[in-house]
Structures are given as structure tokens and as C-alpha cells.
């Protein structure tokens, strides 16, 4: 008899990647907790792709699952911390597909959306984008969507070969910053995201039946953040999704690095909290 594999999707742009610096862990967490983040979680494993950094299968969820490897950490450690504490006897499989500076207009465009991939996207220099453009596959879908389809297909195949019955339990979406600056991107954000969700459900029919969809709002750092977050909160309520108000939850971007704060990205304690807030929405 097969056992259930609880799949958790972590998708979006740089705050889903995680650009919080590990050197500040000791400012916010005990030495024991910091050591655990480095050691990783065996019952919450991860298969990830981000700017050429790949795990090539499921590995322990640690601080090294981001673009800058062991220098930064992403929300997956908060996800792992929360799920381990709440479900110590369950195993979870994070599938993380996230890339900095990408948008819904072109990069995350799904097949049923209008238009084609926009090669003028400012993130085009990423190795993953070059690969997607050269492949010529799925011309009506953005390269991020195609990367996710490849990664999720790979992950499901791995789990099936190991005797699991894969079920996608949650989809955590941290994206929208790059769409806040353009009024057309902003106005069409919700229709494009809605089509993306439906395309994934169709492409992976049978795996999304027990899925909780969770969308996180963007910080005050971004132009038109109030309008974008209002759109997304209204959509989540209408569709029965969960919405995380990152501003109300007190997530910060203005403290780290100490010498020159990176206000576009969440500080260490906030990136961990983001992961915990995502995971808290998941109930088995």
C-alpha cells in the first residue's frame, strides 16, 4: 500500500527565494535554533530551482536552498520549523520554484493567458531564462511556469518511484513586487494569477484536490502596494484561498544588512516568520 507524500509548493520571486543573510540569525534566534536551521529538517525535505541553484532531487531543508547558497536563507526554513513542530510524525516535500525580479505579465504567464513570453524582461540574463528561451517549448507560457512544470513533474515522478502517493497539500505564493510598478500589470494581475492556478490544476489533475492556496501580500516598499494587496485579499476571499497580510503581521525589510539595509527583501526574522505564517495555514 502506498503512503501519502504531502507536497508543499513554494513559488514566486525574490522574497520566496529568500535574500535574508544567515549571519544575522543569532540576532533573532537561540544558538540551538540557528544550529537546527543549518542542520536541516529530515521530515521536511525540499526539491528546488532558483537561478541555476538546484538540489537535483529532495534534500534536507536547510539554510542553503537559495540563490546565494549558504549565505542566505528562505521561507522554507520557517515552513519546515512550523510543520515539524505541528506534525512531527508526518513527512512533507517542499517543491520550491522561485526567481528574483520576475513578473506575472510574462515570466509566470501560464498557457491559457493571452500573449507570449516577453524576451525583453529585465530578468532575461538568468541562466534559467536563457535555457527556457533556447528550448522553444511551450511558447505561450512564461519561463517560470515552464520551470515549475518541469520541477513538479520531476518531483512527482521521484515520489512515485519511492512508493508514495503524491498529494499537493498547499501552494504558497510570494510574488507581485515586480508587477506593482506598471498599471497594466497591476490591472491584469488577478486574472493572470487565476488562470495560472487553473492551468496548474488542469495540468496536474488529480493532485490538487486537497490543496490550500495561500497568497502573501507585498511590503510598503513597493509602488501601488495598497492597491495590489487589496486586489489579492479580495480575490483570496472570493476563491476560498488564504491571504497573509505581511504588513499587519509586522514583517520588516528595513533592518538588514546593518550597514546598508536591503529594503526590497525581508530581514532574517521576517523571512522565517513568513514561512511559519504560510505553514500555519496548512491543516492535514
Amino acid at each position: 500500500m502506498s503512503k501519502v507524500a504531502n507536497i508543499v509548493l513554494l513559488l514566486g520571486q525574490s522574497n520566496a527565494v529568500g535574500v535574508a543573510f544567515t549571519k544575522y540569525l543569532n540576532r533573532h534566534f537561540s544558538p540551538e535554533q540557528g544550529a537546527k536551521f543549518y542542520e536541516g529538517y529530515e521530515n521536511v525535505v525540499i526539491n528546488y530551482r532558483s537561478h541555476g541553484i538546484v538540489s537535483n532531487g529532495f534534500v534536507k531543508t536547510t539554510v542553503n536552498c537559495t540563490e546565494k547558497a549558504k549565505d542566505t536563507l528562505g521561507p522554507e526554513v520557517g515552513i519546515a520549523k512550523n510543520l515539524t513542530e505541528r506534525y512531527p510524525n508526518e513527512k512533507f516535500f517542499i517543491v520550491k520554484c522561485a526567481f528574483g525580479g520576475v513578473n506575472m505579465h510574462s515570466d509566470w504567464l501560464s498557457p491559457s493567458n493571452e500573449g507570449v513570453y516577453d524576451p525583453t524582461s529585465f530578468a532575461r540574463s538568468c541562466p534559467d531564462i536563457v535555457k527556457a528561451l533556447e528550448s522553444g517549448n511551450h511558447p505561450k507560457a512564461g519561463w517560470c511556469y515552464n520551470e515549475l512544470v518541469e520541477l513538479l513533474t520531476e518531483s512527482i515522478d521521484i515520489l512515485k518511484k519511492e512508493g508514495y502517493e503524491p498529494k499537493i497539500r498547499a501552494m504558497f505564493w510570494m510574488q507581485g513586487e515586480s508587477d506593482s510598478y506598471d498599471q497594466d500589470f497591476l490591472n491584469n494581475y488577478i486574472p493572470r494569477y487565476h488562470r495560472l492556478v487553473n492551468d496548474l490544476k488542469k495540468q496536474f489533475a488529480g493532485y490538487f484536490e486537497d490543496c490550500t492556496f495561500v497568497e502573501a501580500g507585498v511590503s510598503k516598499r513597493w509602488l501601488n502596494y495598497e492597491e495590489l494587496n487589496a486586489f489579492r485579499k479580495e480575490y483570496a476571499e472570493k476563491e476560498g484561498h488564504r491571504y497573509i497580510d505581511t504588513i499587519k503581521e509586522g514583517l520588516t525589510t528595513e533592518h538588514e544588512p546593518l550597514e546598508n539595509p536591503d529594503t526590497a527583501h525581508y530581514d532574517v526574522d521576517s523571512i522565517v516568520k513568513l514561512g511559519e505564517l504560510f505553514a500555519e495555514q496548512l491543516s492535514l
Side-chain angles (χ1 to χ4, degrees):
M1 181 179 295
S2 62
K3 48 194 174 180
V4 173
N6 302 303
I7 296 176
V8 175
L9 303 181
L10 175 58
L11 315 174
Q13 58 182 104
S14 56
N15 279 311
V17 175
V19 192
F21 292 91
T22 56
K23 66 182 179 180
Y24 298 119
L25 274 171
N26 63 358
R27 296 184 70 222
H28 307 286
F29 299 97
S30 68
E32 293 77 16
Q33 182 61 71
K36 184 59 182 176
F37 287 149
Y38 273 95
E39 175 191 347
Y41 295 82
E42 293 188 8
N43 65 316
V44 184
V45 293
I46 186 169
N47 189 13
Y48 60 89
R49 291 187 187 183
S50 180
H51 297 286
I53 305 297
V54 298
S55 58
N56 291 316
F58 287 100
V59 297
K60 289 197 297 184
T61 302
T62 69
V63 298
N64 67 347
C65 307
T66 66
E67 180 183 358
K68 295 183 179 180
K70 295 182 180 180
D71 294 329
T72 56
L73 69 156
E76 61 273 1
V77 296
I79 294 171
K81 177 178 181 292
N82 179 280
L83 293 178
T84 296
E85 291 171 353
R86 292 171 57 219
Y87 299 103
N89 298 319
E90 291 284 344
K91 189 157 188 177
F92 295 88
F93 301 84
I94 300 174
V95 176
K96 175 180 174 178
C97 191
F99 309 89
V102 295
N103 61 51
M104 181 65 70
H105 169 70
S106 56
D107 306 312
W108 275 105
L109 201 70
S110 67
S112 68
N113 275 288
E114 75 286 357
V116 296
Y117 175 74
D118 177 10
T120 64
S121 169
F122 63 86
R124 189 177 185 274
S125 60
C126 297
D128 307 288
I129 304 178
V130 174
K131 173 187 171 184
L133 288 171
E134 290 176 348
S135 72
N137 295 326
H138 309 292
K140 290 186 178 181
W143 69 274
C144 291
Y145 182 89
N146 294 332
E147 286 286 316
L148 171 58
V149 169
E150 287 183 13
L151 181 61
L152 184 51
T153 299
E154 170 191 289
S155 300
I156 288 173
D157 288 345
I158 289 172
L159 293 171
K160 282 184 173 180
K161 288 178 181 177
E162 293 181 358
Y164 285 99
E165 178 188 356
K167 288 183 180 292
I168 300 172
R169 299 295 195 183
M171 176 171 146
F172 300 146
W173 182 256
M174 181 67 246
Q175 196 277 331
E177 294 93 337
S178 293
D179 296 87
S180 66
Y181 286 91
D182 185 285
Q183 196 61 45
D184 175 69
F185 291 9
L186 192 65
N187 292 340
N188 287 286
Y189 188 91
I190 295 302
R192 287 168 178 155
Y193 178 71
H194 182 69
R195 295 188 193 108
L196 180 147
V197 169
N198 286 340
D199 285 342
L200 285 173
K201 287 180 178 178
K202 181 179 179 180
Q203 193 151 4
F204 293 92
Y207 295 103
F208 273 96
E209 279 80 356
D210 302 315
C211 182
T212 298
F213 293 88
V214 189
E215 291 94 40
V218 302
S219 72
K220 293 181 179 180
R221 156 72 164 73
W222 307 98
L223 188 68
N224 300 314
Y225 74 89
E226 290 179 299
E227 187 176 3
L228 176 61
N229 286 344
F231 285 162
R232 299 178 66 194
K233 182 178 181 181
E234 181 182 13
Y235 172 78
E237 292 173 350
K238 177 183 175 182
E239 295 296 317
H241 294 191
R242 312 288 177 83
Y243 175 76
I244 296 174
D245 188 332
T246 55
I247 297 171
K248 184 181 291 186
E249 292 290 346
L251 271 61
T252 61
T253 64
E254 64 267 23
H255 302 307
E256 297 162 353
L258 297 179
E259 64 278 6
N260 185 25
D262 176 2
T263 59
H265 301 113
Y266 290 120
D267 302 319
V268 164
D269 57 332
S270 292
I271 203 70
V272 174
K273 184 176 180 180
L274 175 62
E276 293 191 271
L277 289 168
F278 272 136
E280 196 64 35
Q281 303 301 317
L282 173 59
S283 297
L284 295 183

